[in-house]
């Protein structure tokens, strides 16, 4: 199978067809082992530009490059057998013009094998979304809090309260009219997210947007509790892997220092008695 052929069981029309059905389950993945975990239970593995903050220690997603997305995108696609990969377009790779967006979206798809891209922005990105969709690039839109605009928004705030609600609704309608197959609603108040979900014919995928969305997305490391000091309100921690890992590493360090590891069973004898191992 070539990197550019549609090798996944789930493709954008399947996701579009899930409107109002069983909720869509989406997690981020950045690596092959991560993708295998997502593939076991989810519909979509999102290669989010959150990779910059989660794996590379960046202060925001603004420094993420095309090369990083391609490297992580390839690793994720290798780990999937059923779930669909969606790959984020990084900051600066699509905002200048529809042509720039097409060039970079086509490169992301061709070089990773992901069958769809995600980009941030509502009504002001509608022309670009339409340009991409008409040329064979399935687009998942992302509105509400758009982290690449953190400096314009003034922080990672809830978007859509009071006077902002109409703008978010207009953004949702605009990306749908432009041909997006689904839309992420990030940090949108739950009542507004429910109204948008009712009004749209494409699935809404919420993150901090309440239970009425057509699906949910979380950063895998957040829901696994990998970071002991990062606890946003919209994340439910389904495990405490960070604390478990710290405990395991402390045990390892103590055993190395106490010469308890490696034990005999982890070492190779000088003379073999049984079968070769
Ligand atoms: O980059 C990302 O992980 C995302 C999700 C949080 C929606 O865009």
């Amino acid at each position: 199978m070539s990197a550019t052929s549609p090798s996944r069981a789930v493709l954008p029309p399947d996701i579009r067809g899930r409107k109002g059905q069983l909720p869509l389950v989406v997690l981020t993945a950045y690596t092959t082992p991560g993708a295998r975990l997502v593939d076991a239970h989810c519909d979509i593995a999102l290669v989010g530009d959150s990779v910059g903050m989660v794996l590379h220690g960046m202060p925001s997603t603004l420094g993420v490059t095309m090369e990083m997305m391609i490297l992580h995108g390839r690793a994720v696609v290798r780990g999937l057998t059923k779930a669909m990969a969606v790959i984020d377009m990084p900051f600066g790779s699509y905002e200048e013009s529809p042509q720039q967006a097409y060039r970079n979206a086509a490169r992301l798809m061709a070089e990773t094998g992901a069958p769809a891209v995600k980009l941030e922005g509502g009504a002001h990105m509608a022309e670009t979304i339409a340009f991409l969709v008409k040329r064979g690039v399935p687009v998942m839109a992302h509105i509400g809090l758009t982290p690449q605009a953190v400096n314009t928004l003034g922080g990672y705030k809830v978007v859509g309260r009071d006077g902002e609600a109409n703008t978010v609704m207009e953004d949702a309608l605009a990306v749908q009219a432009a041909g997006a197959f689904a839309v992420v609603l990030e940090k949108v108040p739950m009542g507004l997210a429910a109204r948008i979900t009712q009004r749209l014919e494409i699935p809404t995928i919420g993150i901090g947007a309440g239970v009425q969305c057509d699906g949910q997305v979380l950063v895998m490391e957040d829901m696994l509790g990998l970071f002991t000091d990062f606890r946003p309100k919209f994340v439910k921690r389904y495990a405490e892997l960070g604390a478990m890992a710290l405990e395991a590493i402390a045990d390892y360090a103590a055993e190395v220092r106490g010469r308890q590891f490696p034990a005999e069973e982890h070492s190779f004898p000088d003379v073999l008695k049984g079968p070769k191992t």
Side-chain angles (χ1 to χ4, degrees):
M1 196 77 72
S2 87
T4 50
S5 66
S7 57
R8 305 275 83 81
V10 180
L11 287 169
D14 304 313
I15 300 300
R16 167 75 186 73
R18 287 277 292 276
K19 177 72 185 178
Q21 314 276 317
L22 190 65
L24 289 158
V25 184
V26 186
L27 278 178
T28 57
Y30 315 124
T31 64
T32 304
R36 289 195 179 120
L37 295 174
V38 172
D39 198 48
H41 294 288
C42 302
D43 301 296
I44 296 176
L46 174 64
V47 190
D49 61 351
S50 51
V51 68
M53 299 169 82
V54 176
L55 289 198
H56 295 269
M58 293 176 163
S60 73
T61 56
L62 299 182
V64 174
T65 63
M66 282 287 292
E67 284 65 33
M68 287 166 71
M69 295 311 300
I70 288 168
L71 194 72
H72 289 287
R74 275 188 189 145
V76 167
V77 169
R78 271 183 222 123
L80 299 177
T81 62
K82 307 187 296 287
M84 181 175 88
V86 174
I87 185 159
D88 257 346
M89 299 200 71
F91 180 63
S93 72
Y94 61 96
E95 301 90 332
E96 198 177 316
S97 66
Q99 289 77 5
Q100 181 214 23
Y102 178 77
R103 217 169 25 254
N104 284 316
R107 187 172 165 217
L108 286 174
M109 289 172 69
E111 295 189 26
T112 66
V117 301
K118 175 165 84 57
L119 58 81
E120 296 183 9
H124 68 285
M125 290 310 300
E127 186 193 346
T128 294
I129 294 172
F131 190 90
L132 295 181
V133 173
K134 279 186 199 133
R135 286 158 181 79
V137 178
V139 177
M140 177 183 283
H142 182 156
I143 62 172
L145 170 64
T146 47
Q148 292 174 8
V150 61
N151 293 323
T152 316
L153 295 170
Y156 297 99
K157 296 173 178 167
V158 173
V159 175
R161 286 201 177 113
D162 308 322
E164 281 176 350
N166 284 344
T167 311
V168 181
M169 177 64 85
E170 279 160 21
D171 282 340
L173 292 168
V175 298
Q176 168 174 275
F181 70 88
V183 57
V184 169
L185 305 180
E186 180 163 354
K187 275 190 136 177
V188 170
M190 57 188 177
L192 174 61
R195 288 198 299 282
I196 291 173
T197 301
Q198 262 179 5
R199 183 98 184 259
L200 291 193
E201 287 164 17
I202 58 172
T204 58
I205 299 173
I207 174 163
V211 75
Q212 297 300 326
C213 295
D214 296 299
Q216 299 293 329
V217 55
L218 284 176
V219 169
M220 184 165 47
E221 284 76 358
D222 290 347
M223 55 82 73
L224 291 179
L226 220 57
F227 305 113
T228 46
D229 53 351
F230 183 63
R231 291 178 175 273
K233 177 180 165 71
F234 59 85
V235 174
K236 177 174 175 183
R237 291 166 80 131
Y238 288 82
E240 292 295 341
L241 292 198
M244 277 178 68
L246 267 181
E247 228 178 276
I249 291 167
D251 288 350
Y252 168 67
E255 290 196 1
V256 169
R257 292 185 180 119
R259 294 200 184 279
Q260 290 154 292
F261 178 83
E264 216 171 301
E265 74 250 37
H266 311 116
S267 308
F268 302 96
D270 293 281
V271 179
L272 269 184
K273 287 185 193 125
K276 255 190 190 174
T277 54

